[in-house]
Structure formats: structure tokens, C-alpha cells
């Protein structure tokens, strides 16, 4: 029921910055928790950052102080502003949404991913 489209991935030199965007298609963005995950080849997908419908944020320890997640409800868009990028940040970044329901399953969505490459 939910379509997510990420954009903004690129090749960035160590120490550089990049902003990822994710647009949710539908009418439920304001009520939906938004998440950024990333996955490097051969590694598990990990949660990088999240922002709730009430704008509460959380970050993985590895990105605290470097990444900022934010949302624009008018544009149904979530952002991940990344700075001081490191080679370990190289991964495919995925946008995820979850709208909790008390009756029936949660409404969830995943984007196709956008690649971030930080060479050594």
C-alpha cells in the first residue's frame, strides 16, 4: 500500500557530506514512523536512524554526531543528512516506513535503496 523512493546516493570522498531523501507515496506520512537502514555486501542490514511521527529521533552509535534524520510532513519526505563520511559508511541505504495498527497488520513499506560509496 505504500511506495517509497530513495534518492541522493553518490560516491563521496572521506570527510565529505551527502543528503539522502525518501518520498512516501500515500496519505499516511504524518502518522508513520520513518527509518533509514543500510546494508553492506556480506553484512546484515542495520538500522541507522529513525524518526517517529512525533519527531523523536534515534541513531546508531556508529553515526551519532555525524548523521541527522529529519522529516517534512508537507512533502511526505524523510531526509538523512550525512557528514564526516567514512569508508565504513559505504552501503546501500534503504528507507523504511511503519504505521502501527491496533486492528490488522501494520502498514509497512521499503524503498529500493540508494548507494553510498566512500572509498578508502
Amino acid at each position: 500500500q505504500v511506495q517509497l523512493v530513495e534518492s541522493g546516493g553518490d560516491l563521496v570522498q572521506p570527510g565529505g557530506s551527502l543528503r539522502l531523501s525518501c518520498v512516501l507515496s500515500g496519505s499516511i506520512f504524518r502518522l508513520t514512523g520513518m527509518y533509514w537502514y543500510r546494508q553492506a555486501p556480506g553484512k546484515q542490514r542495520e538500522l541507522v536512524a529513525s524518526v517517529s511521527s512525533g519527531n523523536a529521533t534515534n541513531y546508531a552509535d556508529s553515526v551519532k554526531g555525524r548523521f541527522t534524520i529529519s522529516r517534512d510532513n508537507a512533502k511526505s519526505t524523510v531526509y538523512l543528512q550525512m557528514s564526516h563520511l567514512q569508508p565504513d559508511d559505504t552501503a546501500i541505504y534503504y528507507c523504511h516506513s511503519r504505521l502501527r495498527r491496533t486492528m490488522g497488520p501494520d502498514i509497512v513499506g521499503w524503498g529500493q535503496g540508494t548507494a553510498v560509496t566512500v572509498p578508502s
Side-chain angles (χ1 to χ4, degrees):
Q1 299 184 53
V2 178
Q3 301 291 326
L4 303 174
V5 180
E6 304 102 331
S7 62
D10 205 350
L11 187 153
V12 184
Q13 296 301 310
S17 298
L18 197 65
R19 188 177 77 162
L20 307 181
S21 300
C22 173
V23 180
L24 182 150
S25 298
S27 61
I28 62 172
F29 183 84
R30 186 179 61 84
L31 304 175
T32 301
M34 301 298 298
Y35 308 79
W36 284 102
Y37 287 79
R38 68 184 181 186
Q39 186 170 29
K43 299 185 181 296
Q44 295 183 154
R45 183 175 297 183
E46 64 173 332
L47 178 62
V48 175
S50 65
V51 57
S52 73
S53 60
N55 243 348
T57 59
N58 279 290
Y59 300 92
D61 288 342
S62 59
V63 306
K64 283 182 179 178
R66 300 189 298 118
F67 290 10
T68 301
I69 188 171
S70 62
R71 64 191 298 153
D72 185 337
N73 289 339
K75 296 181 178 180
S76 295
T77 301
V78 63
Y79 303 95
L80 186 67
Q81 178 66 52
M82 305 181 292
S83 62
H84 301 97
L85 284 163
Q86 308 165 358
D88 285 348
D89 296 319
T90 296
I92 307 298
Y93 285 72
Y94 297 91
C95 183
H96 172 64
S97 65
R98 179 176 294 274
L99 176 63
R100 299 186 184 278
R101 298 290 203 186
T102 57
M103 300 180 64
D106 293 350
I107 299 175
V108 300
W110 285 96
Q112 294 177 294
T114 187
V116 175
T117 302
V118 186
S120 299

